[in-house]
Amino acid sequence: MSSPPPDRSSDPGHDVRSALASLGLHKGIEGSVLSFLQHQIRDVIFVLEVTRQEELHYRFVYVNAAFEATTGVPPGAVVGKPVEDVIPAESIALVRAKYRQAIDTGQSVHWDEVTTYPTGTKVGEVTVTPVLDAAGACSILIGSVHDVTERHRAQAHLAELEERSRLALEASGSGAFDWHADSNQILLSNQCSRLLGYTAEKLDLDTSRMRRLVHPDDLLDTVVSLRRIRAGSLPTFSVEFRLRHLYGHWIWLRCHGRALKDDAGEVSRVFGTLSDITPAKDAEEMMTRASLVFAHSSDAIAISDAAGRIVMVNPGFTRMRGYDEDEVIGRSAGFYNVDLAREGQHEAVRAHLLAAGHWRGEIWSRHKDGHLIAENRSVTAVKSASGGVRNYIEIASDITRAKKDEELLWRQANFDSLTGLPNRHLFLDRLRQAIKGSHRGEHPAFSLLFIDLDQFKEVNDTLGHAFGDQLLKEAAHRLLGCTRETDTVSRLGGDEFTVLLVDMHNLANEDAYVIERVAREVIDVMSRPFHIDGESLYLSASIGITHFPGDAVDADTLLKHADQAMYEAKRLGRNRVAYFSPAMQERAQERRRMSDDLRLAIEQQQLHVYYQPIVHMDTGRVVKAEALLRWQHPERGWINPAEFIPLAEETGLIFDIGEWIFHTVVTDTARWIREQGQTIQVSINVSPVQIAKGGDSMARCIAFYEAQALPHHSIVVEVTEGALLEHDETVEARLRQLAEHGIALALDDFGTGYSSLSYIQQYQFEFLKIDRTFVDNMKTASRQLALCKTIIDMAHTLDMRVIAEGIGSEHEATLLRQAGCDFGQGYFFHQPKTAQAFEGLLCSQAAVPDRG
């Protein structure tokens, strides 16, 4: 029996010898090579057997002695084992892929492999080479591993050092540069490029381009420094300059560097760093500005420590407060505060400071000499990094003058400059506050007194405005004496005053009595004589009273109703009190409706002119007429002029109505004179308002009159004594203007008002009309007749002719004729007639011869 083949699996050199034999090496050479691989080469040598089944399998068939020295694994634990049992799991996938690459390409494959063995983690440069048989198939892989662990560690350490240096530069905001003197090229690190705004590309410069980027103000110093560095006189240097950023703005850079010389002693390279110091420069400039502001500010600035003790003040502080610096250092601000001295105020401000870090407000302080200063002050808490207060900065501006001006403006806006009483603005504000207080339950109700001084306008016009002002001041003083401190006494304007009685709820059931008492006391004190500039005057007051909420629930309506009640007091005879009532409201609404109707009456020709003939007392012939206005309302019929003329004066409609009457009368008179050939005079009643305020309207009337070319004094303008009582220079000028244009003047209702010879002397009246109150029921030897005779004699003495109104009987006509009266007017002679009827009267009279 033949003996079995010897077992070669325990012989580590068997497979490698077979591999070498397959390469055709001689046996002598084989031994020496194996010995060299085994003992002399320090690199790991390994041989793998490659088998093919479903996939490639690799088995160690040889490793040299260096394998154990490198990995700590003996060859016996490796030879004969598949690679999966020897190579760590984290590396097996890479290893198999590289083995396969070598087999597929038939070429050696190289790679770096990091593997952990008992001796530690190793980094090796691995090479595997396929051994091909005659058929070109690979059954053997020979590999080597060169241990580069220490070199790898050194490179990693160097890379770490470089990274640390880079991070340190970047963390400091600095970048590195390298200037090559021979080429003038300046190589910049990425951080340097980023400083200048270049992030997507590397920026390399030369010195000429660098100069173009330097700020013009820094260029000379920079160029000098570059020359000194290149000349070698600055081996180390630090310079600062501005460079233009990619986006166009300037940035401050600090350049630190060292110059390196070559063997010939010439500067060859310059290394260094560039740092962006723009924030520091900005902060420095800000500090400079802050120092200037601190030194030159007109505001008072004080810096205190955390305990509130002053450590620094500026000159503005000493100017504003009067204290020198050495008088305040070390003291707290409390010694000059006034407002904060009140209990709890200082603590409240301090608490707000600690919570919000800032406080601002208006406050009063005291100057060193004692006078008060109104100031606008702000205090800011400056905190340390730990969050604690380090300092307090106090800035104050003097607003004393502004506060005084503000107070003056407030007083001017809210108080009457003449009497010192609250004006209309402040009164309405307090009235609305009283209404709100009632809604809040502060008081259930209150009352309002509206006071108007009777006859004040006549006194003011007669004695002058200065006299009237003194009277108003005295009236205001008397009103204050009639009221309580809780009441509001106001002057609305002119001679109108109000009294607001709010705190009535404190007097329980006596409220009504208190209101009446105050009103009666006002009536009483206003009736007492006013002694002003040696003159004694007697006035009276009319008072209207309204109650909240009974008479109105809002301020405007309540005041309007009080005004209406005051006019009711005047209507009842003045010098009395009237309470607002629904009847007053109804009359006011009726006046508004009539006002609207009157406007329509003008447009719809509801107004008519009637003519009442005036006869010559001796002949009985009609020689004159008075134009009378009549209104025929479409629903209410004929309306008395006494009802709507005052309303027309209040609303301003009197001007339109007056012009229409004048045009109508002048047109009718011109027609009668032309057609009848008779001399006729027609008089027109003119309202005092038309004379005082109707300048444009009167001018148009005069122009129309002149255009008709009527005989002199064909038109007569009648004015009442009331118009003259309210006269001023304007009234006098307009009456004179009428006379100058050929219009005669007549003084109407003489004896019913404040008759004065001064009026008759001052104006060129041609006629004087005796009021019907003197004529009505005149008897022989009566006082009425005596007064009429006196008036007639006076008028004739002054070259005026007399017209008696209201003659209703033959007896009255006879007595007036015997007294020397020139003309008569009344129902005894003729009633008012339409223009057509009056024209017929003139025609019939023309047919009868004149008996005179």
Side-chain angles (χ1 to χ4, degrees), residues 151-165:
R151 188 182 70 188
H152 181 79
R153 287 175 180 172
Q155 290 175 343
H157 180 64
L158 180 60
E160 182 181 357
L161 291 178
E162 291 178 350
E163 180 65 13
R164 287 179 180 177
S165 298

Side-chain angles (χ1 to χ4, degrees), residues 265-282:
E266 299 291 334
V267 172
S268 59
R269 298 176 69 182
V270 177
F271 296 94
T273 61
L274 285 175
S275 304
D276 185 355
I277 59 171
T278 305
K281 283 291 187 179
D282 291 343

